Amino acid sequence: MTNTDHPIALYGFLRPRPERKDEVRRILSSFVEPTRREPGNLQYHLHEHEDGRFFLYEVWRSQEDLDRHNATPPLRAFLENLSTFLEEAPEGYFDTMLSPYPDTEPAPA
């Protein structure tokens, strides 16, 4: 269950097809810095697990910010062809954060 009063966390594993692993790594890595610059992005991390899966962890200020991110052309192109890149459906979770998120505004001088 999500609401817009709290940040939204999205996280999960992607298991690439062996023959496309390097390509998936390159594509996912290319999303990191542009995504971190998007309005409303609080965190965006990509990890490679020892078993070959990729783990993504994202935190967004609001559902609207996440929706805007999900509509970006590079991400849409990847998601529309996901089954060609992955061995199985992603294992993903989408939750409202209950713990307070640190203030992202600079402290007053």
Side-chain angles (χ1 to χ4, degrees), residues 70-81:
N70 286 336
T72 60
L75 183 56
R76 291 290 346 132
F78 179 69
L79 294 175
E80 288 170 5
N81 295 294

Side-chain angles (χ1 to χ4, degrees), residues 35-54:
T35 299
R36 287 178 174 172
R37 290 190 300 268
E38 289 181 34
N41 179 260
L42 302 176
Q43 288 190 45
Y44 192 87
H45 302 284
L46 172 64
H47 306 266
E48 188 168 354
H49 197 269
E50 63 187 22
D51 67 4
R53 293 178 298 164
F54 294 101

Side-chain angles (χ1 to χ4, degrees), residues 23-107:
E23 183 180 12
V24 171
R25 181 187 299 110
R26 181 185 54 74
I27 292 168
L28 293 177
S29 294
S30 76
F31 294 156
V32 175
E33 289 308 317
T35 299
R36 287 178 174 172
R37 290 190 300 268
E38 289 181 34
N41 179 260
L42 302 176
Q43 288 190 45
Y44 192 87
H45 302 284
L46 172 64
H47 306 266
E48 188 168 354
H49 197 269
E50 63 187 22
D51 67 4
R53 293 178 298 164
F54 294 101
F55 177 76
L56 282 167
Y57 179 73
E58 309 174 34
V59 180
W60 294 89
R61 180 182 53 206
S62 69
Q63 181 64 53
E64 293 79 17
D65 294 317
L66 177 57
D67 291 344
R68 190 172 36 257
H69 166 69
N70 286 336
T72 60
L75 183 56
R76 291 290 346 132
F78 179 69
L79 294 175
E80 288 170 5
N81 295 294
L82 203 55
S83 65
T84 67
F85 292 109
L86 304 183
E87 284 192 335
E88 60 194 32
E91 176 188 347
Y93 305 92
F94 181 77
D95 298 304
T96 299
M97 293 183 70
L98 296 179
S99 56
Y101 196 85
D103 187 11
T104 58
E105 296 297 317

